[in-house]
Amino acid sequence: MHKKMNKNRANLLLSCQEKPGIISTVSNFLLEHKANIVQFDQHTTDPQSGTIFIRVAFDLEDFASSFMKLEQGLALISQGHAMNWRLSNENKKKRMAIFVSRADHCLMELLWRWKSEEILVDIPMVISNHPLLREAVEAYDIPFYHIPVSAETKEEAERRALELMKNKVDFIVLARYMQILSPDFISRYPNRIINIHHSFLPAFIGANPYERAFERGVKLIGATAHYVTNDLDEGPIIQQDVLRVNHRYTTEELKVAGRHVERIVLAEAVSWHIEDKVLTHGNKTIVFT
């Protein structure tokens, strides 16, 4: 679906301790700034003493000056309610770097959606530890950087990638990038690195998971997209999905099915991140879709 940017649209995401009047405070604040609310979502972990999460999409007239006044006002009211908040401008595209290794299915899904404007984002670069996908990426007029990685060069490779991305990238997508990122690298982009991996195969970690899944006769395969943390594959989950399979599937057919669900799950997670629909809470996410 082709999406269009709304030059007057802004999104506010916030969280704070639940108490009477929070929703009214937020609504009245936006009303005072002549914001036209088009969508209001909220979730409370506990109505009495939990945390409330709010996402509001709204339109502003005289956008530039109104947006700046909103930021100033939010800084003030957040102090009285101990709010964590983020205000975004839909007219300003986020900048996404894609990291990839050899497999191209997740990469090509993202590039196709970007080209067809299903995801409204800029892609300043694709970084890979292998040169195989250079031609495919450069066909989209996107810069491709080959940074080899080995145990001996890992630190230098990450340093080079960080230099390439400096002041050019807002978040990173690991589109089947088969390298573990260091804690230092992850700390530069907290809750801004999205990874995809096969899920519902928890017994088959490491190499060749689909071969071992085939040997066990699994009936479900799936994928999980999540934010990257220092705990490998245990960061806050953004999206998951599964496909049902049966004894008739060969190993290769399991891989094909797995690639299909991986690229859809990753693309959805990326889209929700771009559209500011995801809030993190500890090791969980609240996703307003």
Side-chain angles (χ1 to χ4, degrees), residues 2-220:
H2 176 86
K3 295 182 180 179
K4 294 183 179 180
M5 299 188 74
N6 186 330
K7 64 180 182 179
N8 296 315
R9 181 68 48 82
N11 297 310
L12 171 62
L13 289 87
L14 63 86
S15 61
C16 64
Q17 185 172 354
E18 173 68 281
K19 57 183 176 181
I22 291 295
I23 292 177
S24 176
T25 296
V26 174
S27 299
N28 289 334
F29 170 78
L30 293 174
L31 179 62
E32 289 169 4
H33 287 78
K34 299 181 180 180
N36 178 32
I37 296 175
V38 296
Q39 187 171 357
F40 194 111
D41 295 294
Q42 65 88 21
H43 170 71
T44 304
T45 59
D46 185 322
Q48 303 302 319
S49 59
T51 301
I52 185 169
F53 302 88
I54 294 175
R55 179 186 185 271
V56 192
F58 53 90
D59 293 337
L60 293 169
E61 295 183 2
D62 191 17
F63 190 91
S65 62
S66 297
F67 190 86
M68 183 173 62
K69 291 176 182 177
L70 271 175
E71 286 186 310
Q72 295 169 348
L74 282 165
L76 291 175
I77 68 167
S78 65
Q79 296 174 5
H81 297 279
M83 289 180 179
N84 294 312
W85 61 274
R86 183 169 81 246
L87 186 64
S88 65
N89 174 358
E90 260 194 28
N91 197 36
K92 183 180 179 181
K93 289 183 179 179
K94 291 181 174 63
R95 300 166 299 177
M96 174 178 74
I98 303 175
F99 282 47
V100 66
S101 290
R102 296 176 185 271
D104 67 350
H105 55 287
C106 288
L107 167 70
M108 299 312 295
E109 181 73 21
L110 293 173
L111 294 183
W112 183 85
R113 293 192 184 215
W114 167 78
K115 184 69 174 180
S116 62
E117 297 186 325
E118 289 191 23
I119 54 174
L120 300 178
V121 66
D122 288 331
I123 306 178
M125 65 189 70
V126 171
I127 294 175
S128 178
N129 58 323
H130 295 283
L132 302 177
L133 300 175
R134 178 184 296 277
E135 185 176 349
V137 171
E138 292 181 345
Y140 286 85
D141 292 324
I142 296 172
F144 179 93
Y145 298 97
H146 173 218
I147 305 179
V149 180
S150 67
E152 295 75 22
T153 65
K154 185 177 181 64
E155 184 176 346
E156 171 61 21
E158 288 194 347
R159 184 194 62 77
R160 185 181 171 198
L162 288 169
E163 286 182 354
L164 285 171
M165 294 188 294
K166 188 176 181 180
N167 300 323
K168 296 179 181 179
V169 168
D170 298 310
F171 73 105
I172 299 167
V173 178
L174 307 182
R176 293 305 305 271
Y177 183 65
M178 308 308 289
Q179 294 290 324
I180 298 174
L181 301 176
S182 71
D184 178 67
F185 188 102
I186 295 169
S187 70
R188 311 292 183 97
Y189 292 88
N191 290 328
R192 289 184 291 147
I193 304 176
I194 301 173
N195 187 34
I196 184 71
H197 69 89
H198 55 84
S199 66
F200 297 90
L201 301 177
F204 313 114
I205 61 175
N208 304 317
Y210 288 103
E211 283 83 350
R212 283 177 288 148
F214 172 77
E215 292 169 0
R216 285 289 304 277
V218 298
K219 299 299 183 282
L220 286 174

